Amino acid sequence: MSGITMPFQLTILGTSSALPTSNRYPTAQVLNVSGRFFLIDCGEGTQTQMRKYKIGFSRINHIFISHLHGDHIFGLIGLISTFALIGRENDLHIYSHSELQKFLSPQVEFLYATELPFKIIFHPLNFKKEQKIYEDSKVNVYSFPLDHRISTCGFRFEEKPALPNLLLEKIKEYQIPIRDRQRIKEGGDFMTSDGRLISHSELTKNKHRARTFAFCSDTRYNESYIESVRNVDLLYHEATFASDNKDLAQSTYHSTGEDAARAALKAEVGKLIIGHFSARYKDHTVILKEAQAIFPNTEAITEGQIFPVEEKGQ
């Protein structure tokens, strides 16, 4: 098992902007980091898409909401209701603007005469500066402010580095006892029986570099968030409009495909994926081509796609 790279992959549930279409749902994505499943935004129909693409409901314990426009939150009450109907008991953690609790609580209270069988724990976001909002043994999650009409955050998910593997040939060569092996993995050196000091670097091989994914929800292009997404392996950036509507993008605090590509180029990311397409575009090819002209490693997302988060250059 030591040579196996754990999963780090993104499933796309929705790609549309404010208005859903007959074949595009509002924004929702699920990120799997080593078996931990994180829901990012929850537009209308999210639970239907989860069923369609076989995302287990019981796996979702943490939901990250970028902002409180309806196309990013209207799926929440339905999902919470389903959680209750299937007998969920685990706490549900929601990271969002503090006002979301005021929005959801009356609906929950109206639907349920008694308390939910699980707790909803709200974690308010900071819209002034970057902040670590979640950590476990496998991943750190950060929020960072974006430039939209209302308070909006992006999210960055950083895999924690795995301990390196001990080289089998070195274990044999230096007769390294089992009691010393964990210490060496954690950075220690090894002293042989004849007094030679063998360095950690000679005895180990790194599994892989820690991988990163960043989610830039509704935002105008603004270099204030570039450092928060710098060098990530995979960047999702909204691209609501093509350049024919760049003035509309500015006035509504959204991005064009060119804007998303400029952000990716400036931040030196590995791969860019774009979505949140306006319903006025029956075909988003024009947005994609404009982005690819600036940042060639760009792909337009579609419902059901799975993107592995891979190290830059892989």
Side-chain angles (χ1 to χ4, degrees):
M1 293 292 290
S2 60
I4 296 175
T5 301
M6 296 300 288
F8 195 155
Q9 62 184 31
L10 183 73
T11 300
I12 306 300
L13 303 181
T15 67
S16 190
S17 59
L19 296 176
T21 71
S22 59
N23 59 358
R24 295 211 307 261
Y25 283 70
T27 301
Q29 302 178 6
V30 171
L31 184 68
N32 173 2
V33 184
S34 300
R36 290 144 169 85
F37 285 71
F38 303 102
L39 177 61
I40 310 168
D41 280 346
C42 189
E44 184 180 356
T46 292
Q47 65 171 317
T48 302
Q49 293 293 85
M50 288 173 62
R51 288 194 183 279
K52 182 175 182 179
Y53 299 116
K54 297 179 171 55
I55 304 295
F57 282 41
S58 63
R59 290 180 174 270
I60 302 296
N61 294 314
H62 300 272
I63 301 177
F64 299 85
I65 300 296
S66 62
H67 65 294
L68 301 190
H69 279 155
D71 54 322
H72 297 258
I73 64 169
F74 282 166
L76 272 170
I77 190 62
L79 182 60
I80 290 169
S81 178
T82 295
F83 282 156
L85 289 171
I86 62 177
R88 179 191 182 96
E89 296 180 350
N90 291 339
D91 293 346
L92 178 66
H93 295 262
I94 300 179
Y95 305 78
S96 69
H97 194 292
S98 58
E99 292 292 308
L100 184 61
Q101 186 171 1
K102 295 181 182 179
F103 173 75
L104 284 178
S105 294
Q107 300 178 69
V108 172
E109 291 170 7
F110 179 82
L111 290 172
Y112 297 95
T114 59
E115 292 184 0
L116 286 171
F118 58 92
K119 291 182 180 178
I120 302 177
I121 301 171
F122 291 91
H123 303 265
L125 297 177
N126 187 325
F127 296 94
K128 300 296 184 182
K129 62 181 181 180
E130 180 175 306
Q131 184 178 45
K132 182 189 287 189
I133 55 176
Y134 174 79
E135 179 178 10
D136 65 24
S137 63
K138 297 294 184 181
V139 63
N140 289 318
V141 185
Y142 298 84
S143 65
F144 53 90
L146 296 172
D147 184 13
H148 194 41
R149 285 179 291 178
I150 64 174
S151 298
T152 303
C153 273
F155 303 107
R156 186 177 72 254
F157 297 78
E158 296 183 355
E159 181 183 34
K160 288 188 174 180
L163 291 177
N165 290 324
L166 279 174
L167 296 170
L168 183 60
E169 62 270 23
K170 297 297 181 180
I171 293 175
K172 293 179 178 178
E173 179 180 352
Y174 297 115
Q175 295 294 299
I176 300 174
I178 292 175
R179 67 174 180 273
D180 291 324
R181 294 176 189 177
Q182 183 65 25
R183 180 183 58 77
I184 294 171
K185 284 185 175 185
E186 293 172 355
D189 301 324
F190 178 67
M191 184 74 72
T192 65
S193 58
D194 58 2
R196 288 180 297 151
L197 185 68
I198 311 301
S199 70
H200 165 82
S201 60
E202 182 181 340
L203 299 171
T204 60
K205 178 180 180 181
N206 287 330
K207 293 180 179 178
H208 61 79
R209 184 179 61 79
R211 297 162 290 179
T212 51
F213 165 67
F215 174 91
C216 281
S217 179
D218 299 16
T219 187
R220 291 194 299 192
Y221 176 80
N222 188 322
E223 293 192 359
S224 65
Y225 60 82
I226 294 299
E227 288 306 313
S228 291
V229 302
R230 182 168 299 282
N231 289 320
V232 299
D233 299 302
L234 180 66
L235 170 66
Y236 164 77
H237 195 294
E238 73 116 297
T240 307
F241 299 107
S243 60
D244 61 336
N245 280 297
K246 62 182 179 181
D247 291 339
L248 181 60
Q250 277 292 304
S251 65
T252 58
Y253 287 74
H254 283 294
S255 293
T256 64
E258 291 177 344
D259 291 332
R262 281 197 296 148
L265 186 66
K266 187 79 173 177
E268 302 176 283
V269 308
K271 180 182 178 70
L272 170 66
I273 55 176
I274 56 174
H276 198 264
F277 305 118
S278 169
R280 72 186 60 213
Y281 297 97
K282 303 301 181 185
D283 183 351
H284 53 239
T285 302
V286 61
I287 303 175
L288 175 61
K289 286 184 175 179
E290 289 179 354
Q292 287 176 330
I294 296 172
F295 192 83
N297 194 16
T298 301
E299 191 169 341
I301 61 176
T302 58
E303 276 72 3
Q305 270 187 297
I306 297 175
F307 291 94
V309 181
E310 299 175 323
E311 297 175 44
K312 288 171 63 177
Q314 294 297 308

